[in-house]
Amino acid sequence: MSDLDALYQELVLDHGRRPRNFGRLEHPNRQAAGHNPVCGDQLQLYVDVGDDGVVRDVKFEGKGCAISTASASLLTQAIKGRTLAEIESIFQAFHETVTGRAQPDEERLGKLAVFQGVSRFPTRVKCASLCWHTLMAALKGADAPVSTE
Amino acid sequence: MTFDVERVRADFPILGESYRGKPLIYLDNAATTQKPRAVIDAVSSYYETSNANVHRALYWLGARATDAFEGARVKVKRFLNAASEREVIFVRGATEAINLVAHSFARPRLQPGDEILVSHMEHHSNIVPWQLAAQAAGAAVRPIPITDAGDIDLDAYAAMLGPRTRMVAVVHVSNALGTINPVEEIARLARERGVPVLLDGAQATAHVAVDVQRLGCDFYAFSGHKLYGPTGIGVLWGRERWLREMPPYHGGGDMIREVKFSGTTFADLPNKFEAGTPDIAGAVGLGAAVDYVTALGFEAIAAHEEALTDYALERLRTVPGFQRVGEPRRRGPVISFALGDVHPHDVATVLDMEGVAIRAGHHCAQPVLDRFGLPATARASFAIYNTRAEIDALVAALHKVVELFGR
């Protein structure tokens, strides 16, 4: 598989074109905005966390490239029904994968392993990680918008 | 002189580079241009044969360095048709030149309620320095509207010029749209009302002949690295009567006449604005770049680049979803575009895999992209060494983008 095909796998193209959980949550109890000033990408993440600390629902909206849109879309699927501790563990595995520091931990990542191809494109790592940094800010209740810079 | 692009290409060593087996196709010239052998050699030859600090060394090598540095200033003076070398200030680039004027010229003249006019298509470097100066004085920066085609609305501009206008700052050639602005007309309208004009020439000097007398402006700013010269060197040209009135921008060595704790007097022009050891090698390299483009001739350069841009537009129209951003009356060799729903960053990544380097993003000109309702565009910008074959490669790579994202 060429580097380009590894980056833009069918799953990424599909979620880039038809993002899942796209839109607004009626009553989120956590939310955060992310911004990549290099490309102008904007992202809003809405999360509903239950009293037991489990993510009950999550949606996102915004404009971005195929990588950042697909990443946010797959993120929403990956974190539903998970606790903060589980999400942190997934994020760590994701980060190590897209930065090329480790082989993807398929068990923790599931479908997110598809972003392994990003590691060959250092300029695109921020596209894939923006939604994750935004999610962490939302879950930890940070007020300031997240920036990749 | 006929323009032989293959001979020009042979002057640029970097064009022989390749990556992953694909030759470099460099179409990001509005960001920075590549350097001809003559510039690279001038810089290394300066360090090999002439390096010393300028202006005060009492030995032969210092005189040689000073001659090289001041010789570059004379070349720039001729290049811009400045009245004297005293009007040519070496700075780090167009950004520093504009900051210098905003700080030393505009700011002391601004009163609360005063206005600075900039166009809606400015690069951030011709917006933010004015905002800083205006904020400090309680003045305002107002954007001159542009049309859907990407031209400055001259009627709106004329109507905005008023008793509170203290400064007009406009880009000569737009980096985001390619528009060549009618800067003579813009300067004339301001001059009739006694308003000084700064032109940001960062994108202009590589493509059009610049004659500051004919343009009728008060300040002209440009960067060496967009003119086939080194990074880190640029020029502020200003009318001598303004430069004399202006307080220094930076304090330090080389810009003084006499320093006492009871008070310091400043050096004459241009040294008053050149505190500290300047980028001597950079200035020498810029002088070589000026010689290089002058030898090619702007008529030949413009003919080559216009033909190339026309050809590119004609070919790009064959790419499904290609949509040009801005269709100005006069344009430089810059094409900003959207490609259907494909994000410009995805376009740039696919092109990069084909060896084609373009830019994707907001081009440090967010207000103009907001004007067109776009967070980002892809941009191809051409220079003297680009060829039709490279345009063909760009078009072929864009077809690959369509294929990948359209399926």
Side-chain angles (χ1 to χ4, degrees):
Chain A
M1 188 162 27
S2 77
D3 284 353
L4 202 61
D5 291 336
L7 179 68
Y8 294 114
Q9 293 189 38
E10 202 48 60
L11 187 64
V12 171
L13 291 172
D14 176 41
H15 278 257
R17 266 193 298 260
R18 280 178 298 276
R20 319 300 198 269
N21 301 309
F22 190 83
R24 230 169 218 281
L25 271 193
E26 279 296 309
H27 301 291
N29 50 21
R30 306 275 199 288
Q31 59 176 302
H35 181 219
N36 181 348
V38 176
C39 51
D41 286 359
Q42 304 266 5
L43 182 80
Q44 280 282 343
L45 210 57
Y46 309 94
V47 195
D48 178 26
V49 183
D51 294 337
D52 54 358
V54 171
V55 171
R56 279 195 298 235
D57 204 359
V58 53
K59 283 195 170 190
F60 80 103
E61 54 184 8
K63 251 186 148 27
C65 62
I67 306 295
S68 88
T69 305
S71 184
S73 173
L74 283 158
L75 170 148
T76 60
Q77 294 187 331
I79 68 161
K80 245 185 233 188
R82 304 277 191 161
T83 65
L84 178 60
E86 288 171 331
I87 290 168
E88 275 182 330
S89 166
I90 298 170
F91 176 41
Q92 195 197 351
F94 180 82
H95 198 257
E96 283 169 0
T97 299
V98 293
T99 52
R101 262 173 249 158
Q103 284 298 308
D105 178 343
E106 309 257 355
E107 203 176 311
R108 276 192 290 171
L109 288 174
K111 279 185 187 173
L112 296 173
V114 75
F115 291 105
Q116 185 187 11
V118 174
S119 65
R120 308 290 293 270
F121 296 82
T123 57
R124 305 303 300 276
V125 171
K126 284 175 180 171
C127 308
S129 355
L130 176 64
C131 58
W132 283 95
H133 291 294
T134 309
L135 173 70
M136 287 305 158
L139 294 179
K140 288 171 181 173
D143 286 332
V146 174
S147 170
T148 55
E149 296 305 290
Chain B
M1 194 170 88
T2 55
F3 191 89
D4 180 350
V5 70
E6 288 308 322
R7 271 185 62 185
V8 170
R9 290 182 69 80
D11 292 336
F12 289 79
I14 207 166
L15 298 178
E17 291 294 303
S18 60
Y19 187 63
R20 303 181 200 231
K22 311 251 178 172
L24 169 69
I25 297 178
Y26 187 75
L27 305 179
D28 193 17
N29 295 286
T32 195
T33 52
Q34 300 303 340
K35 320 306 171 194
R37 172 64 67 197
V39 168
I40 298 165
D41 284 352
V43 172
S44 35
S45 157
Y46 166 78
Y47 281 125
E48 285 172 7
T49 66
S50 312
N51 180 56
N53 211 331
V54 286
H55 295 151
R56 262 180 314 282
L58 297 172
Y59 44 84
W60 63 268
L61 193 63
R64 194 183 273 183
T66 303
D67 285 349
F69 183 61
E70 293 302 327
R73 199 188 305 275
V74 174
K75 288 177 184 181
V76 172
K77 177 220 156 202
R78 286 195 207 113
F79 182 67
L80 297 175
N81 193 26
S84 85
E85 296 93 80
R86 292 187 299 282
E87 296 183 335
V88 176
I89 317 289
F90 281 123
V91 290
R92 281 184 297 164
T95 296
E96 190 178 45
I98 297 168
N99 275 278
L100 194 164
V101 177
H103 183 89
S104 290
F105 181 76
R107 194 168 154 179
R109 286 172 162 73
L110 289 173
Q111 299 292 326
D114 282 350
E115 292 177 352
I116 295 168
L117 305 186
V118 303
S119 87
H120 209 123
M121 67 171 84
E122 298 307 314
H123 188 278
H124 297 162
S125 61
N126 203 23
I127 299 173
V128 183
W130 306 111
Q131 286 178 329
L132 293 174
Q135 253 161 29
V141 176
R142 292 183 64 199
I144 305 162
I146 60 173
T147 64
D148 289 341
D151 285 304
I152 286 180
D153 183 337
L154 283 177
D155 292 337
Y157 162 63
M160 286 172 79
L161 281 165
R164 302 312 302 261
T165 314
R166 291 285 165 271
M167 188 88 210
V168 170
V170 168
V171 70
H172 190 171
V173 177
S174 158
N175 75 312
L177 303 173
T179 314
I180 300 179
N181 283 310
V183 286
E184 275 177 68
E185 175 74 356
I186 287 166
R188 187 182 62 76
L189 287 164
R191 204 167 50 242
E192 283 171 5
R193 290 163 176 81
V195 178
V197 177
L198 175 139
L199 297 179
D200 169 5
Q203 294 293 336
T205 50
H207 308 298
V208 295
V210 173
D211 177 338
V212 291
Q213 310 303 336
R214 197 170 52 75
L215 293 176
C217 55
D218 297 87
F219 298 98
Y220 197 92
F222 74 93
S223 298
H225 72 97
K226 295 192 202 274
L227 178 64
Y228 310 104
T231 53
I233 189 79
V235 170
L236 170 68
W237 168 85
R239 294 206 181 271
E240 185 165 344
R241 73 171 178 115
W242 295 132
L243 295 173
R244 278 190 184 288
E245 281 180 19
M246 289 158 60
Y249 179 49
H250 292 148
D254 228 24
M255 53 75 73
I256 50 90
R257 177 168 291 137
E258 201 176 30
V259 175
K260 290 184 175 174
F261 283 111
S262 56
T264 291
T265 51
F266 303 120
D268 283 335
L269 292 171
N271 306 59
K272 183 170 82 172
F273 293 107
E274 294 180 359
T277 298
D279 183 357
I280 308 165
V284 170
L286 173 56
V290 162
D291 284 344
Y292 184 80
V293 292
T294 306
L296 287 176
F298 276 102
E299 228 171 285
I301 289 173
H304 171 72
E305 292 178 344
E306 273 171 38
L308 204 59
T309 311
D310 287 344
Y311 178 70
L313 284 169
E314 181 193 315
R315 292 292 325 274
L316 286 167
R317 284 194 194 101
T318 66
V319 181
F322 172 82
Q323 190 196 342
R324 191 178 159 201
V325 180
E327 304 210 4
R329 280 192 285 269
R330 281 189 71 207
R331 50 134 183 71
V334 174
I335 299 172
S336 237
F337 62 95
L339 196 66
D341 289 336
V342 187
H343 192 284
H345 271 204
D346 295 317
V347 175
T349 292
V350 178
L351 264 52
D352 181 38
M353 291 298 101
E354 299 298 314
V356 181
I358 63 151
R359 185 141 297 244
H362 54 57
H363 318 301
C364 293
Q366 284 176 350
V368 69
L369 291 193
D370 285 346
R371 164 70 178 71
F372 287 95
L374 299 161
T377 69
R379 180 187 73 189
S381 53
F382 312 123
I384 46 177
Y385 38 69
N386 290 125
T387 63
R388 285 180 170 231
E390 289 180 316
I391 306 283
D392 293 340
L394 165 69
V395 171
L398 287 172
H399 277 289
K400 285 206 169 169
V401 177
V402 174
E403 192 187 314
L404 181 64
F405 287 92
R407 68 184 185 213

